[in-house]
Amino acid sequence: LLPLVTALPTYVRDGDHVNRRLLGSYSGTTDLWFVTFDVVNLYPSIQHDLCVSIISAYLNDRDYMWTRLAVSILQLVLRDNYCTFRGRHWRQHTGFATGTAMGKEVAELYLHVLLFPVFEKWATAIELGLRFVDDGFVLFRGSLTDARRFVTELSSAHPAVTITTSLSASSGVFLDLCIFKDASFAATGILATRVHQKASNAYLYLPWRS
């Protein structure tokens, strides 16, 4: 599924990839908005039947030659996922564990389909839309009213996902980057970036001799 994921228009691999996608001029200082969003507990909340239906339809629409095999494996992974706790065996009926081998690719496609109607509706206003699994960043061009409407619709894109959002006229944090309008933006239209560290980061590193 990885080739299908990397072909998504919103796909980014890491912070370096984000920097390259940001290259270009975004003229105008008052009508360009930074929208960031995060899907709350994406992996544990993925609905199995909905996920299988979405992935199956997505692959069929693209005449993917391994659709039946991929969907069969997905069903096996989702529906026969067991764990043992205090001597009792449990089957997971919603979501799957972060780190599951196929998890990232499935989550990327699942979320793409759920959010696509909102992105399609506002396509002419979206200067740039990027997403790394459950974290997203959008440069939105338009009035504050339209930007707020976009954020509201994104927050309620689908009942299967809970999305938190933020809207700013000057900056946004995405992955390990703070993307912002610096003093030269009005003249150049070029966005600046710097490394972002969460306030909770305690800068704890293993000693090099460890």
Side-chain angles (χ1 to χ4, degrees):
L1 300 181
L2 182 59
L4 295 173
V5 172
T6 57
L8 296 175
T10 56
Y11 171 79
V12 285
R13 186 176 59 254
D14 50 32
D16 288 338
H17 194 188
V18 173
N19 265 322
R20 292 195 293 275
R21 294 289 302 271
L22 284 170
L23 291 176
S25 177
Y26 302 93
S27 59
T29 58
T30 59
D31 63 346
L32 187 67
W33 306 92
F34 297 78
V35 178
T36 57
F37 65 92
D38 177 67
V39 182
V40 180
N41 296 325
L42 173 61
Y43 288 94
S45 64
I46 287 178
Q47 298 177 13
H48 291 179
D49 289 343
L50 177 62
C51 183
V52 170
S53 174
I54 284 175
I55 299 300
S56 178
Y58 191 85
L59 299 183
N60 277 319
D61 287 346
R62 284 148 187 82
D63 296 322
Y64 183 62
M65 65 181 298
W66 301 107
T67 296
R68 290 184 62 186
L69 176 61
V71 171
S72 295
I73 294 173
L74 176 61
Q75 290 175 316
L76 178 67
V77 171
L78 291 179
R79 295 172 179 169
D80 292 314
N81 186 17
Y82 295 86
C83 67
T84 301
F85 180 70
R86 292 186 176 177
R88 299 181 65 183
H89 304 294
W90 306 82
R91 183 172 67 86
Q92 187 162 2
H93 58 80
T94 303
F96 53 82
T98 302
T100 300
M102 38 59 76
K104 182 178 183 296
E105 288 75 22
V106 169
E108 287 269 19
L109 296 177
Y110 174 81
L111 201 54
H112 170 74
V113 172
L114 295 186
L115 301 184
F116 181 76
V118 178
F119 277 77
E120 183 180 41
K121 176 181 176 179
W122 293 97
T124 57
I126 296 175
E127 293 263 347
L128 181 67
L130 306 174
R131 185 170 54 79
F132 183 84
V133 194
D134 54 353
D135 291 313
F137 173 80
V138 175
L139 286 176
F140 186 93
R141 176 81 68 183
S143 66
L144 176 58
T145 299
D146 281 346
R148 285 174 172 167
R149 286 176 57 198
F150 169 71
V151 166
T152 298
E153 292 178 20
L154 186 62
S155 300
S156 56
H158 196 279
V161 288
T162 301
I163 299 176
T164 60
T165 59
S166 68
L167 174 65
S168 171
S170 58
S171 66
V173 172
F174 180 50
L175 301 184
D176 59 351
L177 293 176
C178 177
I179 305 163
F180 62 100
K181 301 174 183 177
D182 65 3
S184 65
F185 177 77
T188 66
I190 297 174
L191 295 170
T193 62
R194 62 172 177 263
V195 175
H196 171 75
Q197 295 281 10
K198 293 183 178 180
S200 59
N201 186 2
Y203 296 94
L204 303 177
Y205 303 100
L206 290 175
W208 68 274
R209 290 185 176 179
S210 172

